[in-house]
Amino acid sequence: MIAIAARPDAFRMPAGQTALVIIDMQRDFIEPGGFGASLGNDVSLLEAALLPTWQLLQAWRARGWPVVHTRESHAPDLSDCPPAKRERGQPGLRIGDAGAMGRLLVRGEPGCEIVPLLRPAAGEIVIDKPGKGAFHATPLQAELQARGITHLVFAGVTTEVCVQTTMREANDRGYECLLVEEATASYFPEFKAAAIEMIVAQGGIVGWAAPLAAVQHALDGAAE
């Protein structure tokens, strides 16, 4: 077991049975002209999570450990996007509308793809999810069970929506979960901070949180 200095206490994970889960690092959320920008958000606020996530990704790849990438995405006919989701709020464009990178959050469109820095490698799991949580209406649970995964380390965006939702889903399914603080971001920094506190509160009611340096230190120590 690899012990990582975390909150509320040490996170202990088994090598090879811990997957890195990278949530929704898509062009539509991170780059100008995508869905995130259509909601009126400053998408540049998410850029801070890119390099830390890449560093985690490199560490997992170097060890041959499982990696999961998720994309919030919908079928071209929007049959998996209920009105309760599509019609919420007052964005400049809605899911399925034509934007600068193709139809927003539609599978196969350029904006739906993972940003180039974090592009999935051959053999890594890619989950297209129609909801905020990565377990809802997806094969994620089966993919993890087939590989004997018991622990999950999380990165991605946004902290308080898709990341936290998936961590809660995972906790309900019995997975031990760690969020790497620098590898996640929100359009609202105060929401990120609040989400992390929710995750670790009450003795880690949802999971653990740790800085990237603590994860790297633990991995380096295990290698030695």
Side-chain angles (χ1 to χ4, degrees), residues 161-199:
V161 184
C162 294
V163 175
Q164 184 179 199
T165 299
T166 303
M167 288 189 73
R168 290 178 181 274
E169 288 182 327
N171 176 261
D172 284 345
R173 288 162 173 79
Y175 295 96
E176 303 284 17
C177 302
L178 171 74
L179 177 61
V180 182
E181 294 169 358
E182 296 92 339
T184 184
S186 171
Y187 301 121
F188 307 93
E190 65 274 22
F191 289 3
K192 170 183 172 177
I196 292 174
E197 294 308 312
M198 291 177 195
I199 287 165

PDB file of all heavy atoms in Angstrom, residues 161-199:
ATOM      1  N   VAL A 161     -18.996  20.236  -9.712  1.00  0.00           N
ATOM      2  CA  VAL A 161     -20.076  19.623 -10.489  1.00  0.00           C
ATOM      3  C   VAL A 161     -19.688  18.187 -10.844  1.00  0.00           C
ATOM      4  O   VAL A 161     -19.957  17.253 -10.094  1.00  0.00           O
ATOM      5  CB  VAL A 161     -20.423  20.465 -11.733  1.00  0.00           C
ATOM      6  CG1 VAL A 161     -21.612  19.861 -12.480  1.00  0.00           C
ATOM      7  CG2 VAL A 161     -20.772  21.908 -11.331  1.00  0.00           C
ATOM      8  N   CYS A 162     -19.043  17.973 -11.970  1.00  0.00           N
ATOM      9  CA  CYS A 162     -18.815  16.603 -12.436  1.00  0.00           C
ATOM     10  C   CYS A 162     -17.801  15.832 -11.600  1.00  0.00           C
ATOM     11  O   CYS A 162     -17.928  14.618 -11.438  1.00  0.00           O
ATOM     12  CB  CYS A 162     -18.406  16.621 -13.906  1.00  0.00           C
ATOM     13  SG  CYS A 162     -19.734  17.212 -14.990  1.00  0.00           S
ATOM     14  N   VAL A 163     -16.795  16.513 -11.067  1.00  0.00           N
ATOM     15  CA  VAL A 163     -15.805  15.806 -10.245  1.00  0.00           C
ATOM     16  C   VAL A 163     -16.438  15.350  -8.941  1.00  0.00           C
ATOM     17  O   VAL A 163     -16.381  14.167  -8.571  1.00  0.00           O
ATOM     18  CB  VAL A 163     -14.571  16.693  -9.981  1.00  0.00           C
ATOM     19  CG1 VAL A 163     -13.609  15.986  -9.030  1.00  0.00           C
ATOM     20  CG2 VAL A 163     -13.864  17.028 -11.291  1.00  0.00           C
ATOM     21  N   GLN A 164     -17.059  16.279  -8.230  1.00  0.00           N
ATOM     22  CA  GLN A 164     -17.644  15.910  -6.939  1.00  0.00           C
ATOM     23  C   GLN A 164     -18.796  14.907  -7.113  1.00  0.00           C
ATOM     24  O   GLN A 164     -18.932  13.965  -6.326  1.00  0.00           O
ATOM     25  CB  GLN A 164     -18.154  17.143  -6.189  1.00  0.00           C
ATOM     26  CG  GLN A 164     -18.682  16.791  -4.811  1.00  0.00           C
ATOM     27  CD  GLN A 164     -19.174  17.981  -4.026  1.00  0.00           C
ATOM     28  OE1 GLN A 164     -19.294  17.892  -2.806  1.00  0.00           O
ATOM     29  NE2 GLN A 164     -19.472  19.089  -4.674  1.00  0.00           N
ATOM     30  N   THR A 165     -19.601  15.093  -8.163  1.00  0.00           N
ATOM     31  CA  THR A 165     -20.699  14.154  -8.399  1.00  0.00           C
ATOM     32  C   THR A 165     -20.171  12.739  -8.591  1.00  0.00           C
ATOM     33  O   THR A 165     -20.686  11.770  -8.020  1.00  0.00           O
ATOM     34  CB  THR A 165     -21.515  14.575  -9.628  1.00  0.00           C
ATOM     35  OG1 THR A 165     -22.072  15.871  -9.393  1.00  0.00           O
ATOM     36  CG2 THR A 165     -22.641  13.595  -9.908  1.00  0.00           C
ATOM     37  N   THR A 166     -19.119  12.591  -9.394  1.00  0.00           N
ATOM     38  CA  THR A 166     -18.556  11.264  -9.647  1.00  0.00           C
ATOM     39  C   THR A 166     -17.918  10.684  -8.393  1.00  0.00           C
ATOM     40  O   THR A 166     -18.021   9.475  -8.132  1.00  0.00           O
ATOM     41  CB  THR A 166     -17.543  11.325 -10.795  1.00  0.00           C
ATOM     42  OG1 THR A 166     -18.191  11.848 -11.967  1.00  0.00           O
ATOM     43  CG2 THR A 166     -16.988   9.949 -11.116  1.00  0.00           C
ATOM     44  N   MET A 167     -17.281  11.512  -7.586  1.00  0.00           N
ATOM     45  CA  MET A 167     -16.706  11.018  -6.340  1.00  0.00           C
ATOM     46  C   MET A 167     -17.797  10.500  -5.409  1.00  0.00           C
ATOM     47  O   MET A 167     -17.629   9.469  -4.747  1.00  0.00           O
ATOM     48  CB  MET A 167     -15.897  12.117  -5.648  1.00  0.00           C
ATOM     49  CG  MET A 167     -14.594  12.444  -6.334  1.00  0.00           C
ATOM     50  SD  MET A 167     -13.541  13.566  -5.368  1.00  0.00           S
ATOM     51  CE  MET A 167     -12.963  12.463  -4.068  1.00  0.00           C
ATOM     52  N   ARG A 168     -18.918  11.191  -5.356  1.00  0.00           N
ATOM     53  CA  ARG A 168     -20.022  10.731  -4.511  1.00  0.00           C
ATOM     54  C   ARG A 168     -20.606   9.415  -5.040  1.00  0.00           C
ATOM     55  O   ARG A 168     -20.922   8.504  -4.263  1.00  0.00           O
ATOM     56  CB  ARG A 168     -21.095  11.816  -4.414  1.00  0.00           C
ATOM     57  CG  ARG A 168     -20.655  13.028  -3.594  1.00  0.00           C
ATOM     58  CD  ARG A 168     -21.712  14.116  -3.551  1.00  0.00           C
ATOM     59  NE  ARG A 168     -21.257  15.265  -2.796  1.00  0.00           N
ATOM     60  CZ  ARG A 168     -21.362  15.399  -1.472  1.00  0.00           C
ATOM     61  NH1 ARG A 168     -21.931  14.433  -0.765  1.00  0.00           N
ATOM     62  NH2 ARG A 168     -20.921  16.479  -0.870  1.00  0.00           N
ATOM     63  N   GLU A 169     -20.746   9.333  -6.357  1.00  0.00           N
ATOM     64  CA  GLU A 169     -21.213   8.078  -6.956  1.00  0.00           C
ATOM     65  C   GLU A 169     -20.249   6.935  -6.622  1.00  0.00           C
ATOM     66  O   GLU A 169     -20.669   5.815  -6.310  1.00  0.00           O
ATOM     67  CB  GLU A 169     -21.296   8.214  -8.467  1.00  0.00           C
ATOM     68  CG  GLU A 169     -22.433   9.072  -8.979  1.00  0.00           C
ATOM     69  CD  GLU A 169     -22.463   9.095 -10.498  1.00  0.00           C
ATOM     70  OE1 GLU A 169     -21.370   9.029 -11.122  1.00  0.00           O
ATOM     71  OE2 GLU A 169     -23.557   9.186 -11.061  1.00  0.00           O
ATOM     72  N   ALA A 170     -18.952   7.212  -6.724  1.00  0.00           N
ATOM     73  CA  ALA A 170     -17.939   6.191  -6.467  1.00  0.00           C
ATOM     74  C   ALA A 170     -17.969   5.757  -5.008  1.00  0.00           C
ATOM     75  O   ALA A 170     -17.855   4.566  -4.696  1.00  0.00           O
ATOM     76  CB  ALA A 170     -16.562   6.719  -6.850  1.00  0.00           C
ATOM     77  N   ASN A 171     -18.110   6.714  -4.103  1.00  0.00           N
ATOM     78  CA  ASN A 171     -18.183   6.403  -2.683  1.00  0.00           C
ATOM     79  C   ASN A 171     -19.366   5.484  -2.388  1.00  0.00           C
ATOM     80  O   ASN A 171     -19.258   4.515  -1.630  1.00  0.00           O
ATOM     81  CB  ASN A 171     -18.284   7.701  -1.888  1.00  0.00           C
ATOM     82  CG  ASN A 171     -18.458   7.464  -0.396  1.00  0.00           C
ATOM     83  OD1 ASN A 171     -19.570   7.530   0.113  1.00  0.00           O
ATOM     84  ND2 ASN A 171     -17.368   7.211   0.292  1.00  0.00           N
ATOM     85  N   ASP A 172     -20.504   5.753  -3.009  1.00  0.00           N
ATOM     86  CA  ASP A 172     -21.683   4.906  -2.816  1.00  0.00           C
ATOM     87  C   ASP A 172     -21.458   3.492  -3.329  1.00  0.00           C
ATOM     88  O   ASP A 172     -22.114   2.542  -2.873  1.00  0.00           O
ATOM     89  CB  ASP A 172     -22.894   5.506  -3.524  1.00  0.00           C
ATOM     90  CG  ASP A 172     -23.491   6.689  -2.776  1.00  0.00           C
ATOM     91  OD1 ASP A 172     -23.159   6.873  -1.590  1.00  0.00           O
ATOM     92  OD2 ASP A 172     -24.291   7.431  -3.373  1.00  0.00           O
ATOM     93  N   ARG A 173     -20.537   3.339  -4.264  1.00  0.00           N
ATOM     94  CA  ARG A 173     -20.250   2.026  -4.844  1.00  0.00           C
ATOM     95  C   ARG A 173     -19.073   1.333  -4.172  1.00  0.00           C
ATOM     96  O   ARG A 173     -18.636   0.274  -4.618  1.00  0.00           O
ATOM     97  CB  ARG A 173     -20.006   2.170  -6.349  1.00  0.00           C
ATOM     98  CG  ARG A 173     -21.295   2.464  -7.118  1.00  0.00           C
ATOM     99  CD  ARG A 173     -21.025   3.025  -8.503  1.00  0.00           C
ATOM    100  NE  ARG A 173     -22.260   3.144  -9.261  1.00  0.00           N
ATOM    101  CZ  ARG A 173     -23.151   4.133  -9.113  1.00  0.00           C
ATOM    102  NH1 ARG A 173     -22.912   5.099  -8.224  1.00  0.00           N
ATOM    103  NH2 ARG A 173     -24.256   4.177  -9.834  1.00  0.00           N
ATOM    104  N   GLY A 174     -18.538   1.943  -3.127  1.00  0.00           N
ATOM    105  CA  GLY A 174     -17.503   1.282  -2.339  1.00  0.00           C
ATOM    106  C   GLY A 174     -16.072   1.612  -2.697  1.00  0.00           C
ATOM    107  O   GLY A 174     -15.148   1.008  -2.141  1.00  0.00           O
ATOM    108  N   TYR A 175     -15.851   2.557  -3.597  1.00  0.00           N
ATOM    109  CA  TYR A 175     -14.487   2.926  -3.964  1.00  0.00           C
ATOM    110  C   TYR A 175     -13.920   3.946  -2.969  1.00  0.00           C
ATOM    111  O   TYR A 175     -14.633   4.837  -2.502  1.00  0.00           O
ATOM    112  CB  TYR A 175     -14.442   3.528  -5.370  1.00  0.00           C
ATOM    113  CG  TYR A 175     -14.829   2.545  -6.450  1.00  0.00           C
ATOM    114  CD1 TYR A 175     -16.131   2.511  -6.945  1.00  0.00           C
ATOM    115  CD2 TYR A 175     -13.916   1.630  -6.944  1.00  0.00           C
ATOM    116  CE1 TYR A 175     -16.500   1.594  -7.910  1.00  0.00           C
ATOM    117  CE2 TYR A 175     -14.279   0.711  -7.920  1.00  0.00           C
ATOM    118  CZ  TYR A 175     -15.575   0.701  -8.395  1.00  0.00           C
ATOM    119  OH  TYR A 175     -15.948  -0.206  -9.354  1.00  0.00           O
ATOM    120  N   GLU A 176     -12.635   3.810  -2.670  1.00  0.00           N
ATOM    121  CA  GLU A 176     -11.926   4.804  -1.868  1.00  0.00           C
ATOM    122  C   GLU A 176     -11.373   5.846  -2.829  1.00  0.00           C
ATOM    123  O   GLU A 176     -10.717   5.508  -3.830  1.00  0.00           O
ATOM    124  CB  GLU A 176     -10.783   4.146  -1.096  1.00  0.00           C
ATOM    125  CG  GLU A 176     -11.224   3.009  -0.188  1.00  0.00           C
ATOM    126  CD  GLU A 176     -11.891   3.484   1.097  1.00  0.00           C
ATOM    127  OE1 GLU A 176     -12.310   4.657   1.172  1.00  0.00           O
ATOM    128  OE2 GLU A 176     -11.991   2.684   2.038  1.00  0.00           O
ATOM    129  N   CYS A 177     -11.621   7.129  -2.555  1.00  0.00           N
ATOM    130  CA  CYS A 177     -11.369   8.180  -3.535  1.00  0.00           C
ATOM    131  C   CYS A 177     -10.505   9.310  -2.977  1.00  0.00           C
ATOM    132  O   CYS A 177     -10.728   9.781  -1.856  1.00  0.00           O
ATOM    133  CB  CYS A 177     -12.685   8.785  -4.014  1.00  0.00           C
ATOM    134  SG  CYS A 177     -13.816   7.592  -4.748  1.00  0.00           S
ATOM    135  N   LEU A 178      -9.569   9.752  -3.798  1.00  0.00           N
ATOM    136  CA  LEU A 178      -8.700  10.882  -3.463  1.00  0.00           C
ATOM    137  C   LEU A 178      -8.790  11.924  -4.563  1.00  0.00           C
ATOM    138  O   LEU A 178      -8.681  11.590  -5.756  1.00  0.00           O
ATOM    139  CB  LEU A 178      -7.244  10.415  -3.338  1.00  0.00           C
ATOM    140  CG  LEU A 178      -6.194  11.525  -3.194  1.00  0.00           C
ATOM    141  CD1 LEU A 178      -6.248  12.129  -1.802  1.00  0.00           C
ATOM    142  CD2 LEU A 178      -4.792  10.996  -3.496  1.00  0.00           C
ATOM    143  N   LEU A 179      -8.957  13.187  -4.190  1.00  0.00           N
ATOM    144  CA  LEU A 179      -8.929  14.297  -5.137  1.00  0.00           C
ATOM    145  C   LEU A 179      -7.597  15.024  -5.004  1.00  0.00           C
ATOM    146  O   LEU A 179      -7.184  15.393  -3.893  1.00  0.00           O
ATOM    147  CB  LEU A 179     -10.080  15.267  -4.847  1.00  0.00           C
ATOM    148  CG  LEU A 179     -10.148  16.523  -5.718  1.00  0.00           C
ATOM    149  CD1 LEU A 179     -10.322  16.172  -7.188  1.00  0.00           C
ATOM    150  CD2 LEU A 179     -11.282  17.425  -5.240  1.00  0.00           C
ATOM    151  N   VAL A 180      -6.911  15.226  -6.122  1.00  0.00           N
ATOM    152  CA  VAL A 180      -5.642  15.957  -6.137  1.00  0.00           C
ATOM    153  C   VAL A 180      -5.945  17.436  -6.366  1.00  0.00           C
ATOM    154  O   VAL A 180      -6.482  17.824  -7.410  1.00  0.00           O
ATOM    155  CB  VAL A 180      -4.692  15.398  -7.212  1.00  0.00           C
ATOM    156  CG1 VAL A 180      -3.357  16.146  -7.172  1.00  0.00           C
ATOM    157  CG2 VAL A 180      -4.464  13.902  -6.979  1.00  0.00           C
ATOM    158  N   GLU A 181      -5.610  18.257  -5.400  1.00  0.00           N
ATOM    159  CA  GLU A 181      -6.140  19.613  -5.322  1.00  0.00           C
ATOM    160  C   GLU A 181      -5.752  20.511  -6.498  1.00  0.00           C
ATOM    161  O   GLU A 181      -6.583  21.250  -7.019  1.00  0.00           O
ATOM    162  CB  GLU A 181      -5.715  20.241  -3.996  1.00  0.00           C
ATOM    163  CG  GLU A 181      -6.355  19.540  -2.802  1.00  0.00           C
ATOM    164  CD  GLU A 181      -5.765  19.967  -1.473  1.00  0.00           C
ATOM    165  OE1 GLU A 181      -4.815  20.797  -1.477  1.00  0.00           O
ATOM    166  OE2 GLU A 181      -6.229  19.483  -0.430  1.00  0.00           O
ATOM    167  N   GLU A 182      -4.501  20.465  -6.925  1.00  0.00           N
ATOM    168  CA  GLU A 182      -4.086  21.335  -8.031  1.00  0.00           C
ATOM    169  C   GLU A 182      -4.567  20.825  -9.382  1.00  0.00           C
ATOM    170  O   GLU A 182      -4.538  21.574 -10.370  1.00  0.00           O
ATOM    171  CB  GLU A 182      -2.557  21.473  -8.073  1.00  0.00           C
ATOM    172  CG  GLU A 182      -1.952  22.153  -6.867  1.00  0.00           C
ATOM    173  CD  GLU A 182      -1.558  21.148  -5.790  1.00  0.00           C
ATOM    174  OE1 GLU A 182      -2.097  20.018  -5.781  1.00  0.00           O
ATOM    175  OE2 GLU A 182      -0.693  21.509  -4.964  1.00  0.00           O
ATOM    176  N   ALA A 183      -4.983  19.569  -9.444  1.00  0.00           N
ATOM    177  CA  ALA A 183      -5.377  18.946 -10.714  1.00  0.00           C
ATOM    178  C   ALA A 183      -6.870  19.072 -10.971  1.00  0.00           C
ATOM    179  O   ALA A 183      -7.410  18.372 -11.835  1.00  0.00           O
ATOM    180  CB  ALA A 183      -4.957  17.486 -10.728  1.00  0.00           C
ATOM    181  N   THR A 184      -7.528  19.946 -10.261  1.00  0.00           N
ATOM    182  CA  THR A 184      -8.944  20.207 -10.484  1.00  0.00           C
ATOM    183  C   THR A 184      -9.171  21.710 -10.432  1.00  0.00           C
ATOM    184  O   THR A 184      -8.385  22.451  -9.841  1.00  0.00           O
ATOM    185  CB  THR A 184      -9.819  19.475  -9.443  1.00  0.00           C
ATOM    186  OG1 THR A 184     -11.199  19.675  -9.757  1.00  0.00           O
ATOM    187  CG2 THR A 184      -9.538  19.974  -8.035  1.00  0.00           C
ATOM    188  N   ALA A 185     -10.238  22.162 -11.077  1.00  0.00           N
ATOM    189  CA  ALA A 185     -10.502  23.604 -11.130  1.00  0.00           C
ATOM    190  C   ALA A 185     -11.978  23.849 -11.368  1.00  0.00           C
ATOM    191  O   ALA A 185     -12.727  22.961 -11.778  1.00  0.00           O
ATOM    192  CB  ALA A 185      -9.669  24.266 -12.235  1.00  0.00           C
ATOM    193  N   SER A 186     -12.361  25.096 -11.097  1.00  0.00           N
ATOM    194  CA  SER A 186     -13.739  25.542 -11.285  1.00  0.00           C
ATOM    195  C   SER A 186     -13.739  26.927 -11.903  1.00  0.00           C
ATOM    196  O   SER A 186     -12.758  27.668 -11.792  1.00  0.00           O
ATOM    197  CB  SER A 186     -14.472  25.576  -9.938  1.00  0.00           C
ATOM    198  OG  SER A 186     -15.741  26.195 -10.059  1.00  0.00           O
ATOM    199  N   TYR A 187     -14.841  27.283 -12.547  1.00  0.00           N
ATOM    200  CA  TYR A 187     -15.015  28.659 -13.018  1.00  0.00           C
ATOM    201  C   TYR A 187     -15.202  29.602 -11.835  1.00  0.00           C
ATOM    202  O   TYR A 187     -15.108  30.821 -11.990  1.00  0.00           O
ATOM    203  CB  TYR A 187     -16.243  28.760 -13.929  1.00  0.00           C
ATOM    204  CG  TYR A 187     -16.197  27.883 -15.163  1.00  0.00           C
ATOM    205  CD1 TYR A 187     -17.173  26.928 -15.382  1.00  0.00           C
ATOM    206  CD2 TYR A 187     -15.181  28.018 -16.100  1.00  0.00           C
ATOM    207  CE1 TYR A 187     -17.149  26.126 -16.523  1.00  0.00           C
ATOM    208  CE2 TYR A 187     -15.141  27.219 -17.236  1.00  0.00           C
ATOM    209  CZ  TYR A 187     -16.136  26.275 -17.436  1.00  0.00           C
ATOM    210  OH  TYR A 187     -16.115  25.482 -18.561  1.00  0.00           O
ATOM    211  N   PHE A 188     -15.486  29.019 -10.666  1.00  0.00           N
ATOM    212  CA  PHE A 188     -15.700  29.794  -9.440  1.00  0.00           C
ATOM    213  C   PHE A 188     -14.745  29.242  -8.377  1.00  0.00           C
ATOM    214  O   PHE A 188     -15.040  28.215  -7.760  1.00  0.00           O
ATOM    215  CB  PHE A 188     -17.155  29.654  -8.961  1.00  0.00           C
ATOM    216  CG  PHE A 188     -18.173  29.988 -10.018  1.00  0.00           C
ATOM    217  CD1 PHE A 188     -18.696  28.982 -10.826  1.00  0.00           C
ATOM    218  CD2 PHE A 188     -18.587  31.290 -10.219  1.00  0.00           C
ATOM    219  CE1 PHE A 188     -19.626  29.281 -11.804  1.00  0.00           C
ATOM    220  CE2 PHE A 188     -19.519  31.595 -11.200  1.00  0.00           C
ATOM    221  CZ  PHE A 188     -20.048  30.593 -12.004  1.00  0.00           C
ATOM    222  N   PRO A 189     -13.593  29.878  -8.157  1.00  0.00           N
ATOM    223  CA  PRO A 189     -12.612  29.341  -7.214  1.00  0.00           C
ATOM    224  C   PRO A 189     -13.188  29.056  -5.830  1.00  0.00           C
ATOM    225  O   PRO A 189     -12.788  28.092  -5.177  1.00  0.00           O
ATOM    226  CB  PRO A 189     -11.545  30.440  -7.168  1.00  0.00           C
ATOM    227  CG  PRO A 189     -11.630  31.088  -8.523  1.00  0.00           C
ATOM    228  CD  PRO A 189     -13.097  31.085  -8.860  1.00  0.00           C
ATOM    229  N   GLU A 190     -14.144  29.872  -5.416  1.00  0.00           N
ATOM    230  CA  GLU A 190     -14.731  29.638  -4.102  1.00  0.00           C
ATOM    231  C   GLU A 190     -15.548  28.345  -4.084  1.00  0.00           C
ATOM    232  O   GLU A 190     -15.677  27.686  -3.046  1.00  0.00           O
ATOM    233  CB  GLU A 190     -15.602  30.828  -3.670  1.00  0.00           C
ATOM    234  CG  GLU A 190     -16.842  31.079  -4.504  1.00  0.00           C
ATOM    235  CD  GLU A 190     -16.624  31.949  -5.737  1.00  0.00           C
ATOM    236  OE1 GLU A 190     -15.471  32.037  -6.217  1.00  0.00           O
ATOM    237  OE2 GLU A 190     -17.619  32.530  -6.213  1.00  0.00           O
ATOM    238  N   PHE A 191     -16.105  27.964  -5.228  1.00  0.00           N
ATOM    239  CA  PHE A 191     -16.844  26.703  -5.304  1.00  0.00           C
ATOM    240  C   PHE A 191     -15.880  25.523  -5.194  1.00  0.00           C
ATOM    241  O   PHE A 191     -16.200  24.505  -4.570  1.00  0.00           O
ATOM    242  CB  PHE A 191     -17.624  26.607  -6.613  1.00  0.00           C
ATOM    243  CG  PHE A 191     -18.807  27.525  -6.716  1.00  0.00           C
ATOM    244  CD1 PHE A 191     -19.120  28.432  -5.710  1.00  0.00           C
ATOM    245  CD2 PHE A 191     -19.615  27.487  -7.838  1.00  0.00           C
ATOM    246  CE1 PHE A 191     -20.210  29.273  -5.817  1.00  0.00           C
ATOM    247  CE2 PHE A 191     -20.721  28.322  -7.962  1.00  0.00           C
ATOM    248  CZ  PHE A 191     -21.020  29.219  -6.941  1.00  0.00           C
ATOM    249  N   LYS A 192     -14.714  25.634  -5.831  1.00  0.00           N
ATOM    250  CA  LYS A 192     -13.704  24.573  -5.712  1.00  0.00           C
ATOM    251  C   LYS A 192     -13.311  24.389  -4.255  1.00  0.00           C
ATOM    252  O   LYS A 192     -13.281  23.250  -3.754  1.00  0.00           O
ATOM    253  CB  LYS A 192     -12.468  24.915  -6.548  1.00  0.00           C
ATOM    254  CG  LYS A 192     -11.294  23.973  -6.275  1.00  0.00           C
ATOM    255  CD  LYS A 192     -10.035  24.348  -7.033  1.00  0.00           C
ATOM    256  CE  LYS A 192      -8.852  23.510  -6.570  1.00  0.00           C
ATOM    257  NZ  LYS A 192      -7.610  23.774  -7.329  1.00  0.00           N
ATOM    258  N   ALA A 193     -13.018  25.483  -3.585  1.00  0.00           N
ATOM    259  CA  ALA A 193     -12.604  25.395  -2.185  1.00  0.00           C
ATOM    260  C   ALA A 193     -13.693  24.765  -1.328  1.00  0.00           C
ATOM    261  O   ALA A 193     -13.417  23.901  -0.477  1.00  0.00           O
ATOM    262  CB  ALA A 193     -12.249  26.786  -1.662  1.00  0.00           C
ATOM    263  N   ALA A 194     -14.939  25.169  -1.557  1.00  0.00           N
ATOM    264  CA  ALA A 194     -16.046  24.618  -0.774  1.00  0.00           C
ATOM    265  C   ALA A 194     -16.247  23.136  -1.059  1.00  0.00           C
ATOM    266  O   ALA A 194     -16.505  22.342  -0.144  1.00  0.00           O
ATOM    267  CB  ALA A 194     -17.329  25.392  -1.073  1.00  0.00           C
ATOM    268  N   ALA A 195     -16.111  22.738  -2.325  1.00  0.00           N
ATOM    269  CA  ALA A 195     -16.293  21.332  -2.686  1.00  0.00           C
ATOM    270  C   ALA A 195     -15.247  20.457  -2.006  1.00  0.00           C
ATOM    271  O   ALA A 195     -15.562  19.358  -1.517  1.00  0.00           O
ATOM    272  CB  ALA A 195     -16.228  21.160  -4.196  1.00  0.00           C
ATOM    273  N   ILE A 196     -14.007  20.914  -1.974  1.00  0.00           N
ATOM    274  CA  ILE A 196     -12.960  20.137  -1.314  1.00  0.00           C
ATOM    275  C   ILE A 196     -13.271  19.964   0.165  1.00  0.00           C
ATOM    276  O   ILE A 196     -13.110  18.875   0.729  1.00  0.00           O
ATOM    277  CB  ILE A 196     -11.582  20.789  -1.532  1.00  0.00           C
ATOM    278  CG1 ILE A 196     -11.179  20.682  -3.004  1.00  0.00           C
ATOM    279  CG2 ILE A 196     -10.527  20.133  -0.641  1.00  0.00           C
ATOM    280  CD1 ILE A 196      -9.911  21.424  -3.362  1.00  0.00           C
ATOM    281  N   GLU A 197     -13.745  21.038   0.796  1.00  0.00           N
ATOM    282  CA  GLU A 197     -14.094  20.936   2.213  1.00  0.00           C
ATOM    283  C   GLU A 197     -15.258  19.971   2.426  1.00  0.00           C
ATOM    284  O   GLU A 197     -15.292  19.227   3.419  1.00  0.00           O
ATOM    285  CB  GLU A 197     -14.423  22.322   2.774  1.00  0.00           C
ATOM    286  CG  GLU A 197     -13.251  23.273   2.806  1.00  0.00           C
ATOM    287  CD  GLU A 197     -12.024  22.678   3.503  1.00  0.00           C
ATOM    288  OE1 GLU A 197     -12.180  22.114   4.618  1.00  0.00           O
ATOM    289  OE2 GLU A 197     -10.919  22.764   2.932  1.00  0.00           O
ATOM    290  N   MET A 198     -16.223  19.961   1.506  1.00  0.00           N
ATOM    291  CA  MET A 198     -17.337  19.011   1.609  1.00  0.00           C
ATOM    292  C   MET A 198     -16.839  17.570   1.512  1.00  0.00           C
ATOM    293  O   MET A 198     -17.330  16.678   2.216  1.00  0.00           O
ATOM    294  CB  MET A 198     -18.343  19.267   0.489  1.00  0.00           C
ATOM    295  CG  MET A 198     -19.106  20.551   0.586  1.00  0.00           C
ATOM    296  SD  MET A 198     -20.185  20.733  -0.872  1.00  0.00           S
ATOM    297  CE  MET A 198     -20.602  22.470  -0.750  1.00  0.00           C
ATOM    298  N   ILE A 199     -15.886  17.339   0.633  1.00  0.00           N
ATOM    299  CA  ILE A 199     -15.379  15.980   0.404  1.00  0.00           C
ATOM    300  C   ILE A 199     -14.685  15.425   1.637  1.00  0.00           C
ATOM    301  O   ILE A 199     -14.888  14.267   2.015  1.00  0.00           O
ATOM    302  CB  ILE A 199     -14.439  15.987  -0.817  1.00  0.00           C
ATOM    303  CG1 ILE A 199     -15.268  16.141  -2.104  1.00  0.00           C
ATOM    304  CG2 ILE A 199     -13.574  14.725  -0.867  1.00  0.00           C
ATOM    305  CD1 ILE A 199     -14.454  16.523  -3.316  1.00  0.00           C
TER     306      ILE A 199
END
